[in-house]
Amino acid sequence: MSEAATTLEFSDTAVAKVAQLIAEDGNAELKLRIAVSGGGCAGFKYDFAFDETIGEDDFRIDKNGVTVLIDAISMQYLAGAEIDYEDSLEGARFLIKNIKASTTCGCGSSFSV
């Protein structure tokens, strides 16, 4: 649908991790899909999956050879967010700093607006 790079920040660390995962899978056609769905302990949760198909309503971010896809409904919740990746003593995970979230759960994987 459109380029979302001006409304969503995807860190170099997150891009590098996605590139690594795609290389390990061996399928260069994979794109990271980020979605928001109902659930989690705070009302909404973030979903991460690899996908080969770009939908008509998908926002697309291309950075350093990696493509991120976000459907239009999820983009309403993610616009202005920062997506990062951390590997620490607590574990490895993608992090979303979402300016639209009014509350988040302790693990950071769900939120409410």
Side-chain angles (χ1 to χ4, degrees):
M1 178 176 193
S2 67
E3 192 71 27
T6 58
T7 61
L8 188 80
E9 179 62 34
F10 195 56
S11 77
D12 291 339
T13 306
V15 169
K17 184 60 179 181
V18 171
Q20 175 192 344
L21 293 170
I22 290 171
E24 288 173 3
D25 188 83
N27 182 353
E29 297 301 312
L30 292 177
K31 297 142 187 64
L32 178 64
R33 179 171 295 283
I34 303 172
V36 173
S37 62
C41 53
F44 293 101
K45 64 180 181 148
Y46 302 112
D47 295 317
F48 297 87
F50 284 107
D51 196 345
E52 293 181 7
T53 306
I54 300 172
E56 284 185 27
D57 72 336
D58 283 341
F59 287 84
R60 176 182 176 147
I61 300 168
D62 294 297
K63 185 172 181 180
N64 300 336
V66 169
T67 300
V68 178
L69 304 173
I70 303 167
D71 65 88
I73 292 171
S74 296
M75 193 62 185
Q76 294 175 21
Y77 298 102
L78 290 170
E82 296 176 19
I83 301 168
D84 198 5
Y85 180 81
E86 78 170 3
D87 191 353
S88 68
L89 292 175
E90 297 174 359
R93 62 187 177 152
F94 286 96
L95 297 171
I96 297 183
K97 296 175 188 167
N98 190 341
I99 62 171
K100 294 190 176 190
S102 60
T103 59
T104 61
C105 68
C107 66
S109 63
S110 68
F111 68 100
S112 63
V113 290

